DNA sequence: AAAAAGCTACTTTTT
DNA sequence: GTAGCTTTTT
């Protein structure tokens, strides 16, 4: 990492090389509001990164003037790493991070103005729920009538709309109660010095809104605001961006309305339209050149998404050629579907596809079980996304709770979590007494300990002493030392040593120490930097002083404008606060099993942003995908369709779609019909591996599908794994000719003499084209297409 | 305080 | 079908 920027060494053509005209246009736009509609696989991240590099290279921006916002830490890290590799300067002068990460950073720097203690803690979703439960218990609220989960949703929703309790207009008694509890909850958080996720954003927004000099400072600084995944922003995030943009700064927003799949958690696609209007966007650039998928896959995606209304409009194209057809399989049961998937995966592997390049996608997590089971039996390594994450494990949360108490003893969530873990004779009754006292004196539980008398009081005092001792002993320790000390002094390590199945947990605790060491090194702290003081950067003579705007209304001293000197870019938090924030804001990997060479199993949501050589989209049934619950929501079906669009566009070369006639769901067998999405795909791109049965014929005249549960190779019309044949498939050649003739395998046809039937095979081309048709009443026959007057039934 | 039994929910999820 | 939670039992 050099701190001397040598701009003359940068080679301009290299940066813009290999960009297509649209990408080039986007990267080199003037500093004005711009909306980049970036289709799936269109090189969105590349444009974003090159844009930043270009701005700096051209001298149009200094790193300190850049603010780039992403949704996930992963995306932020990737952006940071790629920029660091691209630019010969220290990229730390830029603010690149998630909305929450950046707001945290700002709130730490201005905690006084924001009305927060320097050591405020961040509640993750689980912490927040337990805080709410504790609140309701204290107020004797009936959890049956007012479920804590609903209140949590209510509060988060209000905050994401920018509404404080006083701003919510409650229409009925029920909502009035919720507003009342919202108010009490906010007071509790304030007293404890904790903030939940939406609070980070709202508090930061209000900080800027209510503090003109501070707002002016940041507006003057962040001349270039770039936003990734703009379609996923919620109302509050949009308002925050708008505030930072002010009248003078430009926002470079990148997004794809067709990939908006998070409306259910507050994402507002409408922000794209609003942005266009409110910012008078003159530069709307569509990135429609796709570098990921073959033609048939893209055609399928394009035609499907065309069924949605109110799109900003976009059509992906590729130079890659048609490629393989999209293969479709109808299974009798979910088990059989899994069996087919595994056979196809085996075939893919045998033709050289890497396991990790194969993904099995499903709409809901419950569907993974059957597939996992079948994969295990077949001895194929796999990896499921979406399990418990590292920082969410109970032993880790326990250890973090001790660390939090050292930093902020008023954090009652942390206090309640470990006051009696490991057990130290402080039972439910003692804790209730303490909670009562805390309520009486309107203070935290830790502060209420002296008010509890008797035996309960003395055991509680013992706990207070323990925390006090930890605080004193760790005063000068580095972060990893602190973590190691706390794990031992809390009794956690001893507890898990004696526990029968504590070995894994013990290892995780050791891993936490490693994580702390890794954090210290990644943040560039010295190894012995005390965990609980704001560190001195190399070269700095005094600790950075954060002068708040209220101390002197005319001065806001933050980080100095000379961004290239790390000493001038002060930290805004202690290593411990940073680490605790990191633990809350980035819960870690959520991969159940490690191992690179494994088939990837995940929900469609989790697959967003990823790509695979071969993709299976499973469970394509009405009620499941599209999900039945989506029918109740406004635009629910359109979001399901976007979800399907996301799923399809994950595939590079091969796409498989499957559904099952019956499926185990919630402990009982359900009978489903195939997803409507099949009818929205271009039929000429589909290759039915099982006969396509028309909706009308489903419950009549079929005698084939019963009794094949075990032997999926015996499915009618199914001729074995499609990949076992070489890539230049004869079958596919047939498909081409079939497309010419207007017919395809699996298609329902009508013959004036033989009646209704299904095409089971096609042969030859042009005038020699023949079709094998299985008629309902007259058996299978070969017919010359030039002679027989076959009519498509569709 | 730990273990066992009973009850209930159940789409998607990052921060 | 089953995980997670609460209640009951030891």
């Amino acid at each position: 990492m050099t701190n001397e920027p040598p701009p003359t060494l940068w080679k301009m053509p290299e940066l813009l090389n290999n960009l297509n005209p649209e990408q080039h246009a986007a990267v080199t736009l003037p500093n004005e509001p711009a909306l980049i509609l970036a289709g799936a696989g269109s090189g969105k991240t590349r444009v974003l990164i090159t844009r930043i590099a270009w701005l700096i290279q051209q001298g149009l921006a200094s790193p300190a003037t850049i603010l780039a916002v992403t949704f996930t830490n992963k995306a932020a890290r990737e952006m940071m790493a790629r920029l660091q590799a691209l630019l010969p300067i220290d990229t730390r002068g830029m603010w690149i991070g998630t909305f929450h990460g950046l707001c945290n950073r700002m709130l730490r720097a201005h905690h006084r103005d924001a009305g927060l203690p320097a050591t405020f803690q961040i509640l993750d979703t689980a912490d927040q729920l337990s805080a709410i439960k504790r609140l309701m218990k204290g107020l004797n609220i009936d959890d049956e009538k007012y479920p804590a989960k609903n209140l949590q949703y209510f509060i988060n929703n209000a905050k994401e709309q920018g509404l404080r309790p006083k701003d919510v207009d409650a229409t009925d008694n029920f909502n009035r109660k919720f507003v009342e509890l919202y108010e009490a909850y906010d007071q509790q958080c304030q007293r404890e010095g904790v903030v939940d996720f939406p609070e980070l954003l709202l508090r930061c927004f209000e900080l800027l809104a209510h503090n003109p000099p501070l707002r002016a400072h940041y507006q003057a600084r962040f001349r270039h605001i770039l936003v990734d995944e703009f379609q996923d922003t919620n109302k509050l995030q949009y308002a925050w961006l708008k505030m930072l943009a002010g009248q003078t700064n430009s926002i470079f927003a990148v997004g794809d309305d067709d990939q908006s799949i998070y409306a259910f958690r507050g994402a507002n696609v409408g922000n794209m339209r609003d942005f266009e209007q409110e910012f008078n966007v003159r530069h709307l650039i569509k990135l429609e050149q796709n570098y990921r998928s073959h033609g048939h896959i893209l055609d399928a995606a394009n035609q499907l998404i065309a069924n949605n209304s109110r799109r900003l409009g976009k059509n992906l194209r590729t130079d890659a050629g048609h490629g393989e057809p999209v293969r479709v399989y109808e299974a009798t049961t979910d088990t059989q579907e899994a069996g087919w998937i595994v056979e196809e995966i085996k075939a893919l592997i045998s033709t050289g596809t890497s396991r990790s390049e194969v993904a099995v996608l499903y709409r809901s997590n419950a569907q993974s079980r059957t597939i996992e089971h079948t994969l295990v039996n077949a001895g194929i390594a796999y990896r499921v996304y979406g399990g418990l994450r590292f920082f969410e494990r109970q032993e880790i949360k326990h250890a973090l709770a001790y660390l939090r108490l050292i930093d902020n003893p008023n954090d009652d969530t942390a206090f309640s979590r470990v006051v009696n873990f490991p057990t130290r004779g402080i039972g439910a009754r003692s804790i209730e007494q303490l909670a009562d006292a805390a309520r009486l004196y309107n203070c935290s539980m830790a502060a209420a300990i002296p008010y509890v008398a008797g035996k309960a009081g003395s055991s509680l005092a013992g706990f207070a002493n323990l925390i006090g001792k930890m605080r004193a002993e760790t005063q000068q320790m580095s972060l990893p030392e602190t973590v190691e000390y706390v794990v031992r002094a809390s009794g956690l390590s001893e507890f898990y040593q004696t526990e029968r199945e504590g070995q894994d947990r013990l290892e995780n605790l050791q891993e936490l120490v490693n994580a702390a060491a890794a954090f210290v090194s990644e943040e560039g702290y010295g190894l012995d930097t005390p965990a609980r003081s704001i560190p001195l950067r190399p070269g700095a003579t005094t600790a950075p002083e954060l002068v708040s705007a209220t101390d002197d209304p005319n001065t806001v001293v933050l980080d100095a404008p000379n961004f290239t000197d790390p000493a001038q870019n002060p930290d805004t938090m202690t290593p411990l606060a940073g680490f605790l924030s990191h633990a809350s804001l980035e819960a870690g990997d959520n991969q159940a099993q490690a191992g690179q060479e494994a088939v990837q199993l995940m929900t469609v949501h989790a697959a967003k942003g990823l790509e695979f050589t071969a993709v299976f989209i499973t469970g394509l049934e009405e009620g499941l995908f599209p999900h039945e619950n989506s029918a109740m929501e406004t635009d629910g079906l359109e979001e399901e369709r976007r979800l399907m669009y996301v799923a399809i566009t994950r595939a590079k070369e091969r796409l498989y779609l499957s559904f099952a006639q019956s499926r185990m769901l919630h402990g009982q067998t359900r009978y489903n019909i195939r997803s409507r999405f099949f009818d929205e795909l271009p039929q000429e791109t589909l290759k039915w591996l099982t006969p396509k049965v028309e909706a009308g014929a489903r419950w009549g005249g079929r005698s084939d599908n019963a009794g094949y549960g075990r032997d999926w190779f015996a499915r009618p019309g199914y001729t074995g794994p499609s990949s076992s044949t070489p890539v230049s498939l004869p079958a596919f050649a047939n498909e081409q000719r079939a497309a010419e003739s207007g017919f395809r395998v699996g298609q329902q046809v009508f013959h004036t003499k033989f009646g209704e039937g299904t095409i089971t095979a096609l042969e030859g081309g042009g005038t020699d084209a023949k079709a094998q048709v299985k008629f309902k009443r007259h058996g299978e026959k070969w017919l010359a297409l030039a002679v027989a007057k076959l009519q498509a039934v569709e």
Side-chain angles (χ1 to χ4, degrees), chain A residues 398-406 418 421-422 424 467 486 490:
Chain A
H398 285 324
L400 292 171
Y402 281 102
L403 289 166
R404 276 161 62 163
L405 283 177
I406 285 178
V418 292
F421 193 95
R424 42 179 76 88
I467 300 298
V486 162
S490 63

Side-chain angles (χ1 to χ4, degrees), chain A residues 243-492:
Chain A
M243 162 102 62
L244 281 171
Q247 295 302 309
T248 50
N249 301 332
S250 65
I251 292 181
F252 186 89
V254 183
D256 181 359
D257 54 328
D258 290 335
Q259 289 190 73
S260 162
I261 56 173
Y262 286 113
F264 73 90
R265 65 173 199 216
N268 178 27
V269 211
N271 284 348
M272 295 183 94
R273 278 252 156 84
D274 291 352
F275 174 63
E276 224 185 322
Q277 285 168 12
E278 294 175 16
F279 284 79
N280 229 333
V281 171
R282 294 193 299 126
H283 309 287
L284 190 148
I285 292 180
K286 296 181 182 179
L287 304 181
E288 296 176 299
Q289 178 76 37
N290 174 289
Y291 298 99
R292 180 185 294 155
S293 310
H294 285 170
H296 281 319
I297 294 168
L298 232 43
D299 290 347
N302 280 330
Q303 187 158 327
L304 178 98
I305 202 65
N307 286 286
N308 271 4
S309 55
R310 290 188 303 278
R311 296 173 59 218
L312 279 87
K314 200 165 33 49
N315 217 37
L316 295 176
R317 54 171 194 274
T318 178
D319 297 336
H322 288 312
E324 295 285 315
V326 176
R327 295 185 167 78
V328 183
Y329 184 81
E330 172 174 7
T332 55
T333 65
D334 49 351
T335 320
Q336 198 220 21
E337 181 191 38
W340 167 73
I341 292 165
V342 168
E343 288 311 313
E344 290 285 358
I345 290 175
K346 278 187 191 162
L348 285 166
I349 293 170
S350 73
T351 52
T353 308
S354 154
R355 266 160 263 252
S356 57
E357 275 299 318
V358 178
V360 182
L361 309 185
Y362 33 81
R363 176 65 240 268
S364 67
N365 286 303
Q367 286 164 254
S368 77
R369 223 192 73 250
T370 319
I371 298 162
E372 285 186 63
H373 199 80
T374 317
L375 283 165
V376 167
N377 286 342
I380 299 173
Y382 67 92
R383 188 176 91 162
V384 187
Y385 278 66
L388 246 204
R389 296 144 118 229
F390 182 72
F391 288 107
E392 290 169 353
R393 293 168 194 280
Q394 70 147 25
E395 64 276 20
I396 300 301
K397 294 218 90 173
H398 285 324
L400 292 171
Y402 281 102
L403 289 166
R404 276 161 62 163
L405 283 177
I406 285 178
D407 226 16
N408 174 11
N410 297 329
D411 183 345
D412 282 1
T413 303
F415 185 96
S416 309
R417 177 169 205 109
V418 292
V419 65
N420 196 36
F421 193 95
T423 50
R424 42 179 76 88
I426 300 172
R429 207 161 347 104
S430 306
I431 293 167
E432 220 162 285
Q433 265 178 272
L434 179 64
D436 286 343
R439 208 167 307 114
L440 185 64
Y441 294 96
N442 192 31
C443 64
S444 69
M445 290 166 89
I449 288 177
Y451 303 115
V452 178
K455 215 180 108 208
S458 61
S459 50
L460 281 166
F463 179 67
N465 286 340
L466 174 68
I467 300 298
K469 185 172 165 240
M470 286 181 172
R471 188 175 303 122
E473 302 260 312
T474 56
Q475 192 62 52
Q476 297 303 322
M477 286 187 188
S478 72
L479 181 64
E481 283 166 354
T482 305
V483 175
E484 191 166 25
Y485 170 85
V486 162
V487 166
R488 206 162 8 87
S490 63
L492 283 174

